Amino acid sequence: MAFSLTGQPAFIEFSRANFFFFPLQYLSNTKMSDQSRSNLLLFFDRPTEPCFMQKGDDAIFQLPDNFYPDKYKTVSSTLANRFGENAQRSIPVRNIALPDLSLPMELPYNDQFSLFVPKHRKMAGKLIDIFMGMRDVDDLQSICSYCQMRLNPYMFNYCLSVAILHREDTKGLNIPTFAETFPDKFMDPKVFRRAREVSTIVPVGNRLPLVIPQNYTAADSDPEQRVAYFREDIGINLHHWHWHLVYPFDAADRAIVNKDRRGELFYYMHQQIIARYSAERLCNNLGRPKRYNDFRSPIEEGYFPKLDSQVASRAWPPRFAGSTIRDIDRPIDQIRSDVSQLEIWRDRFLQAIETMSVTLPNGRQMPLDEETGIDVLGNLMESSIISRNRGYYGDLHNMGHVFISYSHDPDHRNLEQFGVMGDSATAMRDPIFYRWHAYIDDIFQLYKNKLPPYPAERLDFPGIRVSSIGIEGSSGANLLNTQWEQSTVELGRGLDFTPRGSVLARFTHLQHDEFNYVIDVNNSSGSDMMGTVRIFMAPILDEGGNQLSFDEQRRLMIELDKFTEALPAGTRTIRRRSLDSSVTIPYERTFRNQNTRPGDPGSAQSAEFDFCGCGWPHHMLIPKGTDRGYPIVVFCMISNWNEDRVIQDLVGSCNDAASYCGIRDRKYPDRRSMGYPFDRPTPASSITDFMTPNMAVQQCTIRFTNATRQRGQQG
């Protein structure tokens, strides 16, 4: 039995599985110690070292003899004694009857793993089902002990993370970030040679942070390198990885996949990434992303990732400038697909939008209405088990990633694995990611453009007038300051087969000075009201220095914050800190500083902390700007909370990054369409013509200072 997000049992069938399933009540009544639950986290420590070696600071797993892989069985007792001598804690592993692991074991241990590859998704879905089906934490620990030494480490880590996030008896465990467990996916491989040198020679406590070079993937002569700090930002890539962790593709328990407005979230999260990246490009004298809409044309940009896979023991393959995607025939990945298939799926999407209906498996037509149409399309686009017709509309988004990621070796003749576009943890590093998703967004916008414009009565909030919106910060009114900042990330957990202890790496990222929004509002209704404050930002000028049309500008609107505010009768000033953004999570959550963890392990507070690992990194809230000052417009709208609200109990739920990630185990906390009020076309020719009395705008400036500060220093 699997355990759904709603607390209801969801049955899962396992072929040839030789273990028993117990009712949910049995599980909830079983008292597991915090230590037993926390032992699961040791499987994330040094992920390619066998679990009978020391994990964490002091523990080893005491395995049954039959759990050892064949290569170790003849010396199992010797190994147990050898690694147990220095361990302060021995964890006995229950000997259970093992489920059928034949499908997950088809992925070689030293290969790459991709959620975009259909076969890999199928294998991961099976493993998630097995982990979810374990009757208690001890059985889950047992199956993990067996799997950790046999299954692909990337797949094992992903599936265990999904299970811990969704099992009722493991929610609240502090899953390490992928950057801690597999730092090789995020930084220059030269760092790891130096890290191994330092960990071998320098005692713990005397180790200085290693410096990760900035912009190490290409020369400054490559125009795309101007925005490498954005594409290769560790926090941004962690966000993309964590979003797909919270919103997986496949599992026998549909509740794990079928979360509220999942398809719309897929659309909106990626739409916002494209808007944010477009602003970054404009700040660096680059044009907005060119749509990758001709699958037969060469891809102008090349990308050389400068990453090594520690598991696969090989470098990530590059994509040369001028590469084209070609028909894929890779029996090893069970992929045989022609480029024409992408075009067929694309045309079926376009037909669905043209007719405003999708074809169901039984041949009937389901209308795409204003309320749920974007959610249906989103679930079709990111093909998952909740797609309305997976067989007909196919796998356009995911297979686009796959075709691009195999463009260097589509028929496996060179025995190469996929490039960075094939992995959710690395895809955002590649310029083609943004070109592909800009086109995906264009398809969604075709649907949005078929919807009627919002009439004034659906925009206005009678009695509420927003007289002004402004920015206040250390540099003065309506001025945002950005600069570089150096921060540290822990590598020790991911350094396999090296001496133990902390190894820190120092990396450089964009940062902004914190600021406050200042909103003056008047409530003339005569009674107290509640409002939803919506704050956006957008560029003013295009790449040629010309004024953007309002239709272009609304598609570049970046959501900065959304919050509920009491509006007493009369005039008042609302102040809101940028740190409290509903879009972002702070640095400490992005990089999972467990010293800031609230509550006890397994508590409601700590469970929220883990879900909140999903969110846009706060240090990337504001675009870079320019040294002369980059002009932007900040927009504020206050809408009627009584029309926006979703009635639900939010006690004990995380909602500080709800805009991109929703709220754990709850409905999306806003009845309006994501991106409202800019998600639909409008006859207005300018933002001024668009505005109703409950809106205000302010032109601001983003000024970049090419200086670097250490984390903790104020600008």
Side-chain angles (χ1 to χ4, degrees):
M1 180 172 293
F3 309 104
S4 72
L5 296 177
T6 59
Q8 299 301 315
F11 289 92
I12 300 176
E13 294 182 2
F14 290 88
S15 60
R16 300 184 296 280
N18 299 316
F19 51 91
F20 299 97
F21 298 94
F22 287 73
L24 185 62
Q25 185 177 0
Y26 172 91
L27 177 64
S28 61
N29 292 334
T30 302
K31 302 299 182 182
M32 307 303 301
S33 70
D34 288 342
Q35 186 64 65
S36 180
R37 290 158 39 84
S38 298
N39 289 341
L40 293 171
L41 302 177
L42 296 174
F43 291 108
F44 296 97
D45 190 71
R46 296 172 175 259
T48 64
E49 290 185 3
C51 59
F52 56 73
M53 295 178 65
Q54 182 176 325
K55 296 293 181 181
D57 296 328
D58 61 356
I60 64 163
F61 287 96
Q62 185 179 344
L63 305 178
D65 288 343
N66 61 305
F67 274 39
Y68 284 87
D70 290 342
K71 60 184 175 181
Y72 298 131
K73 278 184 178 176
T74 58
V75 291
S76 59
S77 59
T78 303
L79 293 174
N81 292 331
R82 175 186 173 189
F83 293 107
E85 286 180 358
N86 298 323
Q88 300 178 29
R89 188 163 59 95
S90 181
I91 304 167
V93 173
R94 179 188 291 170
N95 193 351
I96 64 170
L98 298 167
D100 178 15
L101 291 162
S102 58
L103 180 59
M105 290 184 73
E106 289 180 13
L107 181 63
Y109 184 91
N110 293 116
D111 273 12
Q112 296 281 38
F113 165 71
S114 172
L115 289 172
F116 298 124
V117 175
K119 179 187 176 183
H120 293 193
R121 287 208 303 273
K122 185 177 180 182
M123 291 187 288
K126 176 66 173 178
L127 189 58
I128 291 170
D129 295 343
I130 290 173
F131 288 162
M132 291 295 294
M134 291 293 111
R135 62 180 177 177
D136 56 32
V137 170
D138 282 345
D139 276 8
L140 179 58
Q141 175 181 282
S142 293
I143 193 62
C144 287
S145 299
Y146 186 85
C147 290
Q148 188 265 345
M149 298 178 288
R150 292 170 171 83
L151 298 184
N152 180 276
Y154 295 137
M155 181 174 68
F156 174 82
N157 178 291
Y158 167 75
C159 295
L160 180 57
S161 299
V162 172
I164 286 175
L165 281 173
H166 293 90
R167 281 181 64 108
E168 293 295 333
D169 57 354
T170 55
K171 285 181 180 177
L173 291 178
N174 50 330
I175 300 171
T177 69
F178 218 43
E180 283 184 84
T181 310
F182 296 109
D184 55 297
K185 288 182 180 283
F186 300 93
M187 57 194 71
D188 184 355
K190 294 177 184 176
V191 171
F192 303 112
R193 183 193 61 77
R194 291 159 50 206
R196 290 185 170 89
E197 176 186 343
V198 166
S199 63
T200 301
I201 296 174
V202 183
V204 176
N206 296 319
R207 298 171 182 171
L208 298 176
L210 304 168
V211 177
I212 301 172
Q214 189 179 20
N215 292 356
Y216 58 88
T217 51
D220 291 341
S221 57
D222 180 1
E224 292 296 326
Q225 199 64 11
R226 297 179 203 166
V227 287
Y229 65 88
F230 181 95
R231 292 185 284 101
E232 295 168 0
D233 182 81
I234 296 175
I236 282 177
N237 283 276
L238 277 174
H239 158 73
H240 194 240
W241 165 78
H242 204 117
W243 192 93
H244 284 284
L245 189 70
V246 173
Y247 293 94
F249 298 85
D250 291 276
D253 183 354
R254 287 180 63 88
I256 294 176
V257 180
N258 193 19
K259 297 185 175 115
D260 184 53
R261 294 171 72 176
R262 180 195 193 281
E264 187 177 6
L265 262 176
F266 170 79
Y267 144 73
Y268 186 59
M269 187 268 288
H270 287 92
Q271 185 272 330
Q272 284 289 285
I273 286 175
I274 297 306
R276 179 67 180 76
Y277 181 65
S278 297
E280 210 69 58
R281 293 181 67 85
L282 291 173
C283 289
N284 285 277
N285 295 316
L286 295 171
R288 286 164 280 177
K290 296 179 181 178
R291 275 53 180 160
Y292 181 58
N293 54 9
D294 183 351
F295 306 152
R296 309 286 176 168
S297 294
I299 299 171
E300 297 173 17
E301 307 89 344
Y303 185 65
F304 292 73
K306 307 294 191 302
L307 295 177
D308 286 347
S309 169
Q310 303 297 307
V311 170
S313 299
R314 59 172 60 185
W316 284 79
R319 186 189 64 258
F320 289 88
S323 297
T324 57
I325 65 172
R326 291 172 286 168
D327 298 345
I328 299 178
D329 185 6
R330 295 178 61 97
I332 191 171
D333 299 308
Q334 295 184 5
I335 301 177
R336 187 172 184 178
S337 186
D338 297 344
V339 176
S340 60
Q341 186 63 65
L342 283 182
E343 295 167 332
I344 290 170
W345 290 334
R346 185 263 316 275
D347 292 344
R348 288 173 179 171
F349 266 91
L350 298 180
Q351 177 65 23
I353 293 168
E354 180 63 29
T355 62
M356 289 297 281
S357 65
V358 297
T359 302
L360 299 178
N362 61 8
R364 293 184 178 179
Q365 297 295 307
M366 184 184 75
L368 292 171
D369 59 32
E370 291 186 30
E371 189 80 16
T372 64
I374 190 65
D375 191 54
V376 171
L377 286 173
N379 286 324
L380 289 175
M381 182 64 75
E382 195 197 33
S383 180
S384 69
I385 59 171
I386 59 174
S387 168
R388 295 285 186 167
N389 194 345
R390 208 172 189 178
Y392 184 71
Y393 292 100
D395 202 3
L396 179 59
H397 161 260
N398 299 330
M399 285 302 293
H401 275 262
V402 170
F403 271 95
I404 294 168
S405 68
Y406 282 132
S407 61
H408 59 288
D409 194 18
D411 57 8
H412 203 225
R413 70 177 61 195
N414 297 307
L415 306 181
E416 284 288 327
Q417 298 186 26
F418 52 78
V420 293
M421 270 289 279
D423 189 327
S424 62
T426 59
M428 288 186 67
R429 301 173 68 88
D430 193 330
I432 194 62
F433 173 91
Y434 304 91
R435 294 189 56 198
W436 175 234
H437 274 280
Y439 180 54
I440 294 294
D441 187 60
D442 281 352
I443 295 176
F444 285 128
Q445 293 301 328
L446 290 174
Y447 160 78
K448 287 287 188 176
N449 288 340
K450 300 271 286 187
L451 302 179
Y454 290 116
E457 59 268 23
R458 291 185 64 182
L459 296 173
D460 196 11
F461 187 0
I464 302 300
R465 178 182 178 83
V466 178
S467 55
S468 68
I469 166 76
I471 299 291
E472 65 176 14
S474 58
S475 301
N478 302 321
L479 178 62
L480 297 164
N481 274 347
T482 63
Q483 61 278 311
W484 302 120
E485 183 173 81
Q486 285 193 336
S487 300
T488 56
V489 63
E490 174 65 62
L491 301 182
R493 189 189 294 269
L495 296 176
D496 300 302
F497 302 106
T498 61
R500 263 61 181 168
S502 174
V503 179
L504 296 175
R506 180 172 293 153
F507 63 100
T508 304
H509 57 85
L510 186 65
Q511 183 60 282
H512 60 274
D513 292 347
E514 297 306 331
F515 58 90
N516 294 328
Y517 304 103
V518 182
I519 304 160
D520 291 321
V521 57
N522 176 260
N523 176 2
S524 61
S525 68
S527 61
D528 294 348
M529 307 285 280
M530 291 290 290
T532 304
V533 183
R534 304 168 187 271
I535 303 175
F536 291 81
M537 177 188 73
I540 294 173
L541 305 176
D542 67 12
E543 42 274 88
N546 303 308
Q547 188 97 9
L548 286 163
S549 70
F550 182 52
D551 192 58
E552 292 174 305
Q553 189 178 53
R554 72 172 183 85
R555 287 190 59 181
L556 293 175
M557 282 287 177
I558 303 163
E559 184 174 334
L560 297 178
D561 205 352
K562 179 168 58 181
F563 57 95
T564 302
E565 189 73 17
L567 304 172
T571 301
R572 64 163 299 200
T573 298
I574 300 169
R575 277 184 167 79
R576 170 82 166 183
R577 300 189 310 162
S578 59
L579 275 170
D580 296 327
S581 170
S582 64
V583 173
T584 65
I585 55 175
Y587 174 90
E588 290 74 19
R589 282 203 180 142
T590 296
F591 296 98
R592 319 291 291 145
N593 180 353
Q594 299 303 330
N595 294 328
T596 65
R597 182 178 190 75
D600 298 323
S603 68
Q605 283 180 302
S606 62
E608 294 166 23
F609 182 80
D610 289 316
F611 181 86
C612 287
C614 181
W616 188 253
H618 186 71
H619 63 267
M620 298 300 281
L621 175 66
I622 301 298
K624 178 182 175 183
T626 63
D627 54 359
R628 299 177 62 181
Y630 184 76
I632 57 157
V633 62
V634 174
F635 168 93
C636 176
M637 172 189 191
I638 300 182
S639 56
N640 189 339
W641 178 76
N642 285 322
E643 297 176 2
D644 305 334
R645 65 173 176 162
V646 175
I647 300 175
Q648 58 185 342
D649 176 15
L650 291 182
V651 175
S653 295
C654 159
N655 60 7
D656 66 345
S659 291
Y660 288 3
C661 294
I663 298 181
R664 178 181 162 224
D665 298 354
R666 299 292 193 273
K667 293 183 179 295
Y668 192 80
D670 186 1
R671 288 180 59 191
R672 307 280 189 176
S673 297
M674 297 178 197
Y676 170 85
F678 298 113
D679 64 302
R680 294 193 188 183
T682 171
S685 59
S686 69
I687 196 168
T688 304
D689 292 339
F690 175 75
M691 289 169 57
T692 48
N694 57 321
M695 304 176 187
V697 293
Q698 174 65 55
Q699 182 167 329
C700 300
T701 302
I702 306 175
R703 185 179 62 195
F704 171 69
T705 302
N706 192 17
T708 304
R709 69 186 188 191
Q710 295 294 318
R711 178 151 191 83
Q713 297 176 347
Q714 296 301 313

Coordinates of all heavy atoms in Angstrom, one line a residue, residues 185-187 215-218 222 224-225 227-233 237 277 299-307 316-323 404 407-408 419-421 425-434:
K185 N 27.6 17.9 -10.4 CA 26.7 18.4 -11.4 C 26.6 20.0 -11.4 O 25.9 20.5 -12.3 CB 25.3 17.9 -11.1 CG 25.1 16.4 -11.4 CD 23.7 16.0 -11.1 CE 23.5 14.5 -11.4 NZ 23.4 14.2 -12.9
F186 N 27.4 20.6 -10.6 CA 27.2 22.1 -10.4 C 28.4 22.9 -10.5 O 28.3 24.1 -10.5 CB 26.5 22.3 -9.0 CG 25.2 21.7 -8.9 CD1 25.1 20.4 -8.3 CD2 24.0 22.3 -9.3 CE1 23.8 19.8 -8.1 CE2 22.8 21.7 -9.2 CZ 22.7 20.4 -8.6
M187 N 29.6 22.3 -10.6 CA 30.8 23.1 -10.5 C 32.0 22.5 -11.2 O 32.0 21.3 -11.6 CB 31.2 23.4 -9.0 CG 31.4 22.2 -8.2 SD 31.4 22.6 -6.4 CE 29.7 23.0 -6.1
N215 N 32.6 32.0 -14.4 CA 32.7 32.0 -15.8 C 33.8 31.2 -16.4 O 34.7 31.7 -17.1 CB 32.8 33.5 -16.3 CG 31.5 34.3 -16.1 OD1 30.5 33.7 -15.6 ND2 31.6 35.6 -16.3
Y216 N 33.8 29.9 -16.1 CA 34.9 29.1 -16.5 C 34.6 28.2 -17.7 O 35.4 27.4 -18.2 CB 35.3 28.1 -15.4 CG 34.2 27.2 -14.8 CD1 34.0 26.0 -15.4 CD2 33.4 27.7 -13.8 CE1 32.9 25.2 -14.9 CE2 32.4 26.9 -13.3 CZ 32.2 25.6 -13.9 OH 31.2 24.9 -13.4
T217 N 33.4 28.4 -18.3 CA 33.0 27.5 -19.4 C 33.2 28.0 -20.8 O 33.2 27.3 -21.8 CB 31.5 27.2 -19.3 OG1 30.7 28.4 -19.1 CG2 31.2 26.3 -18.1
A218 N 33.5 29.3 -20.9 CA 33.8 29.9 -22.2 C 34.5 31.2 -22.0 O 34.5 31.8 -21.0 CB 32.5 30.1 -23.0
D222 N 32.7 35.0 -26.3 CA 31.4 34.4 -26.7 C 30.3 35.3 -26.0 O 30.2 35.4 -24.8 CB 31.4 33.0 -26.1 CG 30.0 32.3 -26.4 OD1 29.1 32.9 -27.0 OD2 29.9 31.1 -25.9
E224 N 27.3 34.8 -25.4 CA 26.4 34.1 -24.4 C 27.1 34.0 -23.0 O 26.4 33.8 -22.0 CB 26.1 32.6 -24.9 CG 25.2 32.6 -26.2 CD 23.9 33.1 -25.9 OE1 23.3 33.0 -24.8 OE2 23.3 33.7 -26.8
Q225 N 28.4 34.2 -23.0 CA 29.0 34.1 -21.7 C 28.7 35.3 -20.8 O 28.9 35.2 -19.6 CB 30.6 34.0 -21.9 CG 31.4 33.5 -20.7 CD 31.0 32.1 -20.4 OE1 30.3 31.4 -21.1 NE2 31.5 31.6 -19.2
V227 N 25.9 36.1 -19.8 CA 24.8 35.6 -18.9 C 25.1 34.2 -18.3 O 24.2 33.6 -17.8 CB 23.4 35.6 -19.6 CG1 22.9 37.1 -19.8 CG2 23.4 34.9 -20.9
A228 N 26.4 33.8 -18.4 CA 26.7 32.5 -17.8 C 26.5 32.5 -16.3 O 26.1 31.5 -15.7 CB 28.2 32.2 -18.1
Y229 N 26.7 33.7 -15.6 CA 26.4 33.7 -14.2 C 25.0 33.4 -13.8 O 24.7 32.9 -12.7 CB 26.8 35.1 -13.7 CG 25.9 36.2 -14.2 CD1 24.7 36.6 -13.6 CD2 26.2 36.9 -15.3 CE1 23.9 37.5 -14.1 CE2 25.4 37.9 -15.9 CZ 24.2 38.2 -15.2 OH 23.4 39.2 -15.7
F230 N 24.1 33.6 -14.7 CA 22.7 33.3 -14.5 C 22.5 31.8 -14.8 O 22.0 31.0 -14.0 CB 21.8 34.1 -15.4 CG 20.3 33.8 -15.2 CD1 19.5 34.6 -14.4 CD2 19.7 32.8 -15.9 CE1 18.2 34.3 -14.2 CE2 18.3 32.6 -15.8 CZ 17.6 33.3 -14.9
R231 N 22.8 31.4 -16.0 CA 22.6 30.0 -16.4 C 23.3 28.9 -15.5 O 22.7 27.9 -15.3 CB 23.0 29.8 -17.9 CG 22.2 30.5 -18.9 CD 22.6 30.2 -20.3 NE 23.9 30.9 -20.7 CZ 25.1 30.3 -20.7 NH1 25.2 29.0 -20.4 NH2 26.2 31.0 -21.1
E232 N 24.5 29.3 -15.1 CA 25.3 28.3 -14.3 C 25.2 28.6 -12.8 O 25.9 27.9 -12.0 CB 26.7 28.4 -14.8 CG 26.8 27.9 -16.2 CD 28.2 28.2 -16.9 OE1 29.0 28.8 -16.2 OE2 28.3 27.8 -18.1
D233 N 24.3 29.4 -12.4 CA 24.1 29.7 -10.9 C 23.7 28.4 -10.2 O 22.7 27.7 -10.7 CB 23.1 30.8 -10.7 CG 22.9 31.1 -9.3 OD1 23.7 31.9 -8.7 OD2 21.9 30.6 -8.6
N237 N 19.9 26.2 -10.7 CA 19.9 24.8 -11.1 C 19.3 23.9 -10.0 O 18.6 23.0 -10.3 CB 21.2 24.4 -11.6 CG 21.6 24.9 -12.9 OD1 21.2 24.3 -14.0 ND2 22.3 26.0 -13.0
Y277 N 15.0 35.5 -17.4 CA 16.2 35.3 -18.3 C 16.2 36.4 -19.4 O 17.3 36.9 -19.7 CB 16.3 33.9 -18.9 CG 17.5 33.6 -19.7 CD1 18.8 33.6 -19.2 CD2 17.3 33.4 -21.1 CE1 19.9 33.3 -20.0 CE2 18.4 33.1 -21.9 CZ 19.7 33.0 -21.3 OH 20.8 32.7 -22.1
I299 N 21.3 24.5 -34.5 CA 21.3 25.3 -33.2 C 22.6 26.1 -33.2 O 23.7 25.6 -33.2 CB 21.3 24.3 -32.0 CG1 20.0 23.4 -32.0 CG2 21.4 25.1 -30.7 CD1 20.1 22.3 -31.0
E300 N 22.4 27.4 -33.3 CA 23.5 28.4 -33.5 C 24.5 28.2 -32.4 O 25.7 28.2 -32.6 CB 23.0 29.8 -33.6 CG 22.1 30.1 -34.8 CD 21.5 31.4 -34.7 OE1 22.0 32.3 -34.0 OE2 20.5 31.7 -35.4
E301 N 24.0 28.2 -31.1 CA 24.9 28.2 -30.0 C 25.5 26.8 -29.7 O 24.8 25.8 -29.8 CB 24.2 28.7 -28.7 CG 23.5 30.0 -28.9 CD 22.0 29.9 -29.3 OE1 21.7 28.8 -29.8 OE2 21.3 30.8 -29.2
G302 N 26.7 26.8 -29.4 CA 27.3 25.6 -28.8 C 27.4 25.7 -27.3 O 27.1 26.8 -26.7
Y303 N 27.6 24.6 -26.6 CA 27.8 24.7 -25.2 C 28.7 23.6 -24.7 O 28.5 22.4 -25.0 CB 26.5 24.5 -24.4 CG 26.7 24.7 -22.9 CD1 27.1 26.0 -22.4 CD2 26.5 23.7 -22.0 CE1 27.3 26.1 -21.1 CE2 26.7 23.9 -20.7 CZ 27.1 25.1 -20.2 OH 27.3 25.3 -18.9
F304 N 29.8 24.0 -24.0 CA 30.8 23.1 -23.5 C 30.7 23.2 -22.0 O 31.2 24.1 -21.4 CB 32.2 23.5 -24.0 CG 32.4 23.3 -25.5 CD1 31.8 24.1 -26.4 CD2 33.1 22.2 -25.9 CE1 31.9 23.9 -27.8 CE2 33.3 22.0 -27.3 CZ 32.7 22.9 -28.2
P305 N 30.1 22.2 -21.3 CA 29.7 22.3 -19.9 C 30.9 22.3 -18.9 O 30.7 22.8 -17.8 CB 28.8 21.2 -19.7 CG 29.1 20.2 -20.7 CD 29.6 20.9 -21.9
K306 N 32.0 21.8 -19.2 CA 33.1 21.7 -18.3 C 32.7 21.0 -17.0 O 33.0 21.5 -15.9 CB 33.7 23.1 -18.0 CG 34.1 23.9 -19.3 CD 35.2 23.2 -20.0 CE 35.8 24.2 -21.1 NZ 34.8 24.6 -22.1
L307 N 31.9 19.9 -17.1 CA 31.5 19.1 -15.9 C 32.0 17.7 -16.1 O 32.0 17.2 -17.3 CB 30.0 19.2 -15.8 CG 29.3 20.5 -15.5 CD1 27.8 20.3 -15.4 CD2 29.8 21.1 -14.1
W316 N 30.9 15.3 -19.2 CA 29.7 15.6 -19.9 C 30.0 16.0 -21.4 O 30.8 16.9 -21.6 CB 28.9 16.7 -19.2 CG 28.2 16.3 -18.0 CD1 28.8 16.1 -16.7 CD2 26.8 15.9 -17.8 NE1 27.8 15.7 -15.8 CE2 26.6 15.6 -16.4 CE3 25.7 15.9 -18.7 CZ2 25.4 15.2 -15.9 CZ3 24.5 15.6 -18.1 CH2 24.3 15.2 -16.8
P317 N 29.3 15.5 -22.3 CA 29.6 15.8 -23.7 C 29.2 17.2 -24.1 O 28.2 17.7 -23.6 CB 28.8 14.8 -24.5 CG 27.7 14.4 -23.6 CD 28.3 14.4 -22.3
P318 N 29.9 17.9 -25.0 CA 29.5 19.2 -25.4 C 28.6 19.1 -26.6 O 28.4 18.1 -27.2 CB 30.9 19.8 -25.9 CG 31.6 18.6 -26.4 CD 31.2 17.5 -25.5
R319 N 28.0 20.3 -27.0 CA 27.3 20.4 -28.2 C 27.9 21.5 -29.0 O 28.0 22.6 -28.6 CB 25.8 20.8 -27.9 CG 24.9 20.8 -29.2 CD 23.6 21.3 -29.0 NE 23.6 22.7 -28.7 CZ 23.4 23.2 -27.5 NH1 23.2 22.4 -26.5 NH2 23.5 24.5 -27.2
F320 N 28.4 21.2 -30.2 CA 29.1 22.1 -31.0 C 28.1 23.1 -31.7 O 27.0 22.7 -32.0 CB 29.9 21.4 -32.1 CG 31.1 20.7 -31.5 CD1 31.0 19.4 -31.1 CD2 32.4 21.3 -31.4 CE1 32.1 18.7 -30.5 CE2 33.5 20.6 -30.9 CZ 33.3 19.3 -30.5
A321 N 28.6 24.3 -31.9 CA 27.8 25.3 -32.6 C 27.4 24.8 -34.0 O 28.2 24.1 -34.7 CB 28.6 26.6 -32.7
G322 N 26.1 25.0 -34.3 CA 25.6 24.5 -35.6 C 25.1 23.1 -35.6 O 24.8 22.5 -36.7
S323 N 25.1 22.5 -34.4 CA 24.5 21.1 -34.4 C 23.1 21.1 -34.7 O 22.3 22.0 -34.5 CB 24.7 20.5 -33.0 OG 26.1 20.4 -32.6
I404 N 17.7 17.1 -28.1 CA 18.8 18.1 -28.0 C 20.0 17.5 -27.3 O 21.1 17.6 -27.7 CB 18.3 19.4 -27.4 CG1 17.3 20.1 -28.2 CG2 19.5 20.3 -27.1 CD1 16.6 21.2 -27.6
S407 N 22.1 15.2 -29.5 CA 22.4 15.7 -30.8 C 23.8 15.3 -31.2 O 24.1 15.2 -32.4 CB 22.2 17.2 -30.9 OG 23.0 17.9 -30.0
H408 N 24.7 15.1 -30.3 CA 26.1 14.8 -30.6 C 26.3 13.3 -30.9 O 27.3 12.9 -31.5 CB 27.0 15.1 -29.4 CG 26.6 14.4 -28.1 ND1 25.4 14.7 -27.4 CD2 27.2 13.4 -27.4 CE1 25.3 13.9 -26.4 NE2 26.3 13.1 -26.4
G419 N 23.8 14.9 -23.1 CA 24.4 16.2 -22.7 C 23.6 16.8 -21.5 O 22.6 16.2 -21.1
V420 N 23.9 18.0 -21.1 CA 23.3 18.6 -19.9 C 21.8 18.9 -20.1 O 21.1 18.9 -19.1 CB 24.0 19.9 -19.5 CG1 25.4 19.6 -19.1 CG2 24.0 20.9 -20.7
M421 N 21.3 19.0 -21.3 CA 19.9 19.2 -21.5 C 19.1 18.0 -21.0 O 17.8 18.0 -20.9 CB 19.5 19.5 -22.9 CG 19.6 21.0 -23.2 SD 18.2 21.9 -22.5 CE 16.9 21.6 -23.7
A425 N 18.9 18.7 -13.3 CA 19.9 19.4 -12.4 C 20.9 20.3 -13.2 O 21.6 21.1 -12.7 CB 20.6 18.5 -11.5
T426 N 21.0 20.0 -14.5 CA 22.0 20.7 -15.3 C 21.5 21.4 -16.5 O 22.2 22.2 -17.2 CB 23.1 19.7 -15.8 OG1 22.4 18.6 -16.6 CG2 23.8 19.0 -14.7
A427 N 20.2 21.2 -16.9 CA 19.6 21.7 -18.2 C 19.7 23.2 -18.3 O 19.9 23.7 -19.3 CB 18.2 21.2 -18.3
M428 N 19.5 23.9 -17.2 CA 19.4 25.4 -17.2 C 20.8 26.0 -17.5 O 20.8 27.2 -17.7 CB 18.8 25.9 -15.9 CG 17.3 25.6 -15.8 SD 16.5 26.4 -14.4 CE 16.7 28.1 -14.8
R429 N 21.8 25.2 -17.5 CA 23.2 25.8 -17.8 C 23.3 26.1 -19.3 O 24.1 26.9 -19.7 CB 24.3 24.7 -17.4 CG 24.3 24.4 -16.0 CD 25.2 23.2 -15.7 NE 26.6 23.7 -15.9 CZ 27.4 24.2 -14.9 NH1 26.9 24.4 -13.7 NH2 28.6 24.6 -15.2
D430 N 22.5 25.4 -20.1 CA 22.7 25.4 -21.6 C 21.8 26.5 -22.2 O 20.6 26.6 -21.9 CB 22.3 24.1 -22.2 CG 22.7 23.9 -23.6 OD1 22.8 24.9 -24.4 OD2 23.0 22.7 -24.0
P431 N 22.4 27.4 -23.1 CA 21.5 28.4 -23.7 C 20.3 27.9 -24.4 O 19.3 28.6 -24.5 CB 22.5 29.1 -24.7 CG 23.9 28.9 -24.1 CD 23.8 27.5 -23.5
I432 N 20.4 26.7 -25.0 CA 19.3 26.1 -25.7 C 18.1 25.8 -24.8 O 16.9 25.8 -25.3 CB 19.7 24.9 -26.5 CG1 18.7 24.5 -27.6 CG2 20.0 23.7 -25.6 CD1 18.4 25.5 -28.6
F433 N 18.3 25.6 -23.5 CA 17.2 25.4 -22.6 C 16.2 26.6 -22.7 O 15.0 26.3 -22.8 CB 17.7 25.3 -21.2 CG 16.6 25.3 -20.1 CD1 16.1 24.1 -19.7 CD2 16.1 26.4 -19.5 CE1 15.1 24.0 -18.7 CE2 15.1 26.4 -18.6 CZ 14.6 25.2 -18.2
Y434 N 16.7 27.8 -22.8 CA 15.8 29.0 -22.8 C 15.2 29.2 -24.1 O 14.0 29.6 -24.2 CB 16.6 30.2 -22.3 CG 17.3 30.0 -21.0 CD1 18.6 29.4 -20.9 CD2 16.6 30.2 -19.8 CE1 19.1 29.1 -19.7 CE2 17.2 30.0 -18.6 CZ 18.4 29.4 -18.5 OH 19.0 29.1 -17.3

